[in-house]
Amino acid sequence: KISVVIPTYNEEKFIEKCLAALSNQTLPRESYEIIVSDSSSTDRTVEIAKKFADKVVVCKKVSAGFGRNFGAKHAKADLLAFTDADSIVSSTWLEGAVEELKNADGTTGPISSVEKDSLLFRIFFKLWGIQSKASVALKVPVLPGYNIAVKKSVFEKLHGFSEKNITVEDIDLGLRLKKIGKISFSEKMKVK
C-alpha cells in the first residue's frame, strides 16, 4: 500500500482536478489511500476534498512542510507519496513510485507545465524537469515537493520535511535523504 499526501490551503480552484487524477491510477484503488492535509482553508477546499479523499485532516499551521508532515502522521501505508493541490499526476504516477521504492528509498519523476499558452512556463518547467532528472543522476537531488515518494521508515528517520522554511523544504528533504539512502527517477511518475 501507498499513502498519498496533499497539503492544501484555499485550493478550491485546483483540488478537484488533482484528486480526480489521483483517483484514476493504474494501481487498484484499494492499494492506495489519499490524504488531504488542510491548513484550515476558508474556501471550499475541504468540502471538495471530502468527495475524493480517504481522509481529510485539518491543522492550524499554514506551511507546506508542516502540512505534508501532518498528513504523513495519518498515513497507514509503508510508502508515502507527496504532490500538491495544483498538480496533476499521470495515471502511472503511483505505479512508478511503488516500483521504484522496491529498490530505492526515495524517488521522483518528470515534470511539465499544464499551461499551454505560455512559452515561458513551458520552458521553465521543461528546464526544471531536466534539472530534476540530472540532479538525481549526479546524486545531488533537487526534488520537487509535488513529485516525491519515499519509504515511510526513511521519512520518519529524517523527521520528515523541515518545518523551519516556508520554501525549499522539498530540496532539503532530498539532500538529507541522499545521505542515508538511494534516490531514483521514474519516467512513470509524470506530474504537470
Side-chain angles (χ1 to χ4, degrees):
K1 250 190 132 153
I2 186 165
S3 298
V4 183
V5 177
I6 307 108
T8 59
Y9 180 66
N10 292 339
E11 300 285 356
E12 71 179 2
K13 182 177 178 185
F14 305 108
I15 191 68
E16 188 166 353
K17 286 182 182 178
C18 171
L19 295 175
L22 281 166
S23 297
N24 188 29
Q25 294 293 296
T26 53
L27 290 183
R29 184 61 181 89
E30 62 274 3
S31 67
Y32 63 96
E33 67 175 342
I34 300 171
I35 302 168
V36 172
S37 181
D38 188 73
S39 294
S40 300
S41 291
T42 57
D43 66 0
R44 296 179 52 242
T45 300
V46 170
E47 176 188 336
I48 296 166
K50 285 181 177 178
K51 295 177 187 175
F52 295 90
D54 298 296
K55 294 179 191 168
V56 178
V57 294
V58 179
C59 58
K60 298 253 184 243
K61 191 169 183 180
V62 179
S63 159
F66 182 87
R68 288 185 178 106
N69 290 341
F70 189 73
K73 288 176 184 172
H74 292 84
K76 291 180 182 174
D78 293 330
L79 305 177
L80 301 171
F82 299 92
T83 194
D84 287 346
D86 61 353
S87 302
I88 300 171
V89 300
S90 65
S91 62
T92 58
W93 189 65
L94 287 175
E95 178 184 333
V98 169
E99 287 174 0
E100 291 298 317
L101 292 176
K102 289 177 183 170
N103 298 308
D105 298 297
T107 188
T108 190
I111 55 178
S112 62
S113 175
V114 173
E115 183 69 47
K116 298 294 180 199
D117 298 333
S118 172
L119 179 61
L120 183 62
F121 274 135
R122 290 196 320 265
I123 291 170
F124 172 79
F125 280 100
K126 183 71 170 173
L127 292 174
W128 193 359
I130 291 168
Q131 174 207 15
S132 184
K133 186 174 186 175
S135 73
V136 170
L138 295 171
K139 300 190 183 330
V140 186
V142 178
L143 305 180
Y146 55 87
N147 194 1
I148 296 175
V150 64
K151 289 179 178 169
K152 188 176 185 181
S153 59
V154 174
F155 184 78
E156 289 172 344
K157 186 175 183 178
L158 293 170
H159 305 290
F161 288 92
S162 170
E163 296 176 12
K164 295 177 185 173
N165 303 324
I166 302 277
T167 60
V168 302
E169 79 287 341
D170 46 1
I171 295 170
D172 173 72
L173 180 73
L175 294 174
R176 288 185 292 123
L177 179 58
K178 88 160 179 140
K179 292 178 182 177
I180 66 164
K182 178 183 173 191
I183 301 173
S184 67
F185 191 90
S186 171
E187 293 294 337
K188 289 183 177 181
M189 288 182 65
K190 296 177 185 171
V191 174
K192 291 184 180 187

